[in-house]
Amino acid sequence: MATRFGTFLLGSLVPLLVSGALLPAPQNITILSTNMKHFLVWSPLTVPGEAVKYSIEFQGEYERDYANDSWIPIGECTDISATQCDITEDISATVPYNLRVRAAQGTEVSRWATLNGLFNRVTTSLIPPMLTVMADGYHLLVELEHLGPAFEFLVLYWRKGQENQVYEKVVRDSNTTVHLETMEAGAEYCVKAQTYVEAINRSSNFSQVQCVKAADSKTFSVIFAPIFFIAFVVAVFILFLLAWKTCQVCQYSCCPNEGLPDTLKLTESPAGIINYRGEEAEKCDMSVHVQPPDELLRFWIHDAL
Amino acid sequence: MGPFTCIVLLSFLCGTIVTKERKILQFGQCELSGISFRELRDYFGEIKETVQTQDNRTDVILLKESVLLGIPVSESCCLLRHLLRFYIESVFKATSNLLRRKTSPLANTFVRIKTTLRQCLDSNIAAIKAVGEMDILFAWMRDINN
């Protein structure tokens, strides 16, 4: 009994003697934990004078049971004037954590105030994920909110009216838009999703069901008909152009545009041809000019020189 | 520098189990869930560089991959439990104060895994076994000096 009293006396007097302080310790210390983001929150101290600064320390199961009941200060939450601090980084394992806060004003320091009960991140509130379901033509797409690398998503989707045939897809990287399915024209598809955190082996509830309708084949034709029509006209024009060009080439190589000799022009009777005197001489005869050999030799010598 | 050598070997411990990317891990008769290797790798990555630059005893290897792979699956639960206990009770305690905050995630995760591996032989049976097999220890002590 005496020892207990002694400890009590030491426990209550030593902080007072050391700091000489009457600064009250912070109160109402709680943890707000949603989607694996943890914040320590406490009530502000209302004391006159200088601004009050707060510091936080944490202790996991390891520090408590194997490292002499030690505490580790959180650098980012030391001498802060806010009455809350993000402790996500240090609540890093799925074990019970203890946290404590101390107030300071100038040289005065309060005693440590500890969290009421231990905190295990397994109790975090997992909120159903936000998702955007889209239909891009016949593609069923889903966009999931980004919650950090600890989160996976289980996406369930089905064709409306075929609820017994539900497909699922696990999405690990929520940064991108995910393609779920190629839809049938005009059909309505529905999607819901839940988050899963491997580190605590827990899932959130499912989000609200969201449905989209695939592009109708009618809508499809309304959008694409003019494009098809233009493509058709262009194709016909190109074909026509090609055919015309081919004909021209054929005509040039097979039927050159050269006048036929008169002799090949058939008249009514063979006698007509014999008696025909349209041309006095053959064309080739007229152009041939026979040179005497000595003149030819002179040309050669002239050329050679 | 001993403890640092040990922590370097954590990379191995994480590295081999990583291949089993399942929701429930099986070590012999022990089942383990709620362990994120991505998280463990991140935590180890935080201290890896600091620790490996301090490790100048490259001639000593504490955990040999081939030895670990040679352990029968039925004994993997107890082996893991004992390894984790070694890390928790000896290795992390020896790390410097500066690294305390950075090793805390690993130390606490190890505590969490160790407490999950309950199906390992209970300490009484283990003690009886250890006493009964003491002659093997004596033989080894004698032979290693010959």
Side-chain angles (χ1 to χ4, degrees):
Chain A
M1 195 65 192
T3 345
R4 193 176 288 176
F5 181 70
T7 327
F8 169 75
L9 214 66
L10 271 175
S12 51
L13 286 181
V14 164
L16 279 177
L17 291 173
V18 169
S19 59
L22 293 165
L23 196 65
Q27 284 184 322
N28 303 325
I29 305 161
T30 46
I31 286 189
L32 301 179
S33 175
T34 308
N35 280 348
M36 294 292 274
K37 292 264 179 293
H38 324 293
F39 288 86
L40 192 73
V41 184
W42 58 93
S43 302
L45 278 189
T46 43
V47 280
E50 275 182 70
V52 179
K53 303 269 178 166
Y54 305 93
S55 298
I56 302 179
E57 291 186 349
F58 76 95
Q59 179 186 67
E61 193 176 340
Y62 169 76
E63 286 79 21
R64 197 162 45 247
D65 294 348
Y66 300 93
N68 310 321
D69 204 9
S70 59
W71 294 81
I72 300 176
I74 302 178
E76 297 82 359
C77 305
T78 298
D79 289 331
I80 52 163
S81 41
T83 56
Q84 62 162 42
C85 200
D86 187 348
I87 51 165
T88 309
E89 201 188 316
D90 293 293
I91 307 295
S92 45
T94 314
V95 295
Y97 278 87
N98 203 355
L99 287 125
R100 62 182 190 181
V101 192
R102 185 172 74 173
Q105 191 182 38
T107 51
E108 284 183 29
V109 185
S110 80
R111 64 174 178 80
W112 287 103
T114 313
L115 188 69
N116 195 9
L118 301 176
F119 170 72
N120 193 325
R121 67 178 185 178
V122 79
T123 59
T124 192
S125 319
L126 294 179
I127 310 290
M130 310 254 276
L131 65 157
T132 318
V133 183
M134 294 164 289
D136 182 11
Y138 288 146
H139 300 291
L140 178 61
L141 305 174
V142 67
E143 216 173 65
L144 296 152
E145 70 172 315
H146 188 61
L147 292 171
F151 283 79
E152 283 175 21
F153 299 83
L154 176 71
V155 184
L156 299 186
Y157 57 97
W158 61 93
R159 194 179 155 168
K160 206 168 184 179
Q162 293 182 359
E163 277 78 10
N164 56 338
Q165 210 172 1
V166 176
Y167 301 96
E168 60 173 63
K169 190 161 196 160
V170 175
V171 180
R172 292 210 162 81
D173 181 18
S174 60
N175 273 334
T176 51
T177 306
V178 185
H179 177 261
L180 294 176
E181 170 109 342
T182 306
M183 303 184 283
E184 280 172 42
E188 196 168 3
Y189 285 76
C190 297
V191 182
K192 65 176 179 178
Q194 67 174 173
T195 59
Y196 172 75
V197 182
E198 192 181 23
I200 56 171
N201 199 23
R202 271 186 57 209
S203 299
S204 75
N205 287 334
F206 274 101
S207 64
Q208 296 263 312
V209 176
Q210 284 188 42
C211 301
V212 282
K213 208 168 177 186
D216 226 331
S217 51
K218 208 168 134 193
T219 336
F220 190 75
S221 58
V222 165
I223 298 167
F224 289 98
I227 300 172
F228 279 142
F229 179 72
I230 292 166
F232 177 73
V233 168
V234 169
V236 165
F237 178 72
I238 289 171
L239 265 176
F240 179 76
L241 207 74
L242 272 174
W244 181 63
K245 217 48 193 161
T246 318
C247 271
Q248 253 194 345
V249 169
C250 286
Q251 199 181 9
Y252 180 75
S253 33
C254 306
C255 331
N257 194 13
E258 189 60 48
L260 283 173
D262 288 339
T263 40
L264 289 180
K265 287 179 185 163
L266 291 177
T267 48
E268 286 86 27
S269 64
I273 300 171
I274 296 164
N275 301 326
Y276 182 70
R277 293 266 174 261
E279 281 171 292
E280 286 303 316
E282 287 288 323
K283 270 183 187 166
C284 53
D285 286 348
M286 275 160 38
S287 58
V288 173
H289 176 67
V290 181
Q291 285 179 330
D294 57 326
E295 210 173 322
L296 203 70
L297 197 73
R298 216 181 58 225
F299 269 129
W300 277 353
I301 293 163
H302 182 80
D303 269 5
L305 286 171
Chain B
M1 287 301 134
F4 296 114
T5 321
C6 286
I7 292 188
V8 169
L9 291 166
L10 281 175
S11 58
F12 157 73
L13 196 68
C14 299
T16 39
I17 316 172
V18 160
T19 47
K20 287 186 176 181
E21 207 84 71
R22 286 182 302 171
K23 300 283 188 254
I24 295 175
L25 299 169
Q26 197 87 37
F27 293 96
Q29 71 275 41
C30 304
E31 272 186 0
L32 205 57
S33 64
I35 299 296
S36 161
F37 286 108
R38 182 200 53 78
E39 215 176 53
L40 277 174
R41 272 196 301 270
D42 286 354
Y43 298 158
F44 180 60
E46 284 279 309
I47 55 161
K48 192 176 168 184
E49 207 171 305
T50 325
V51 164
Q52 285 182 344
T53 47
Q54 289 181 50
D55 180 23
N56 47 18
R57 288 294 302 273
T58 46
D59 54 326
V60 181
I61 296 172
L62 290 186
L63 284 178
K64 241 185 182 170
E65 195 172 345
S66 58
V67 173
L68 280 184
L69 289 174
I71 302 288
V73 180
S74 57
E75 286 170 32
S76 60
C77 178
C78 289
L79 173 83
L80 181 60
R81 196 180 148 91
H82 288 133
L83 272 175
L84 294 175
R85 202 174 136 188
F86 168 64
Y87 276 107
I88 292 162
E89 292 177 6
S90 312
V91 180
F92 292 121
K93 273 188 186 167
T95 53
S96 69
N97 259 1
L98 283 172
L99 272 178
R100 221 153 54 99
R101 192 176 165 202
K102 287 193 170 172
T103 51
S104 172
L106 282 171
N108 279 298
T109 309
F110 279 27
V111 170
R112 147 102 172 77
I113 301 175
K114 190 182 84 99
T115 44
T116 317
L117 302 174
R118 286 185 195 285
Q119 290 101 321
C120 177
L121 276 183
D122 83 49
S123 55
N124 271 341
I125 302 170
I128 291 166
K129 233 181 174 13
V131 173
E133 290 166 1
M134 245 184 230
D135 50 343
I136 299 171
L137 178 72
F138 299 151
W140 175 77
M141 284 164 71
R142 187 190 59 223
D143 294 343
I144 203 161
N145 285 297
N146 291 338

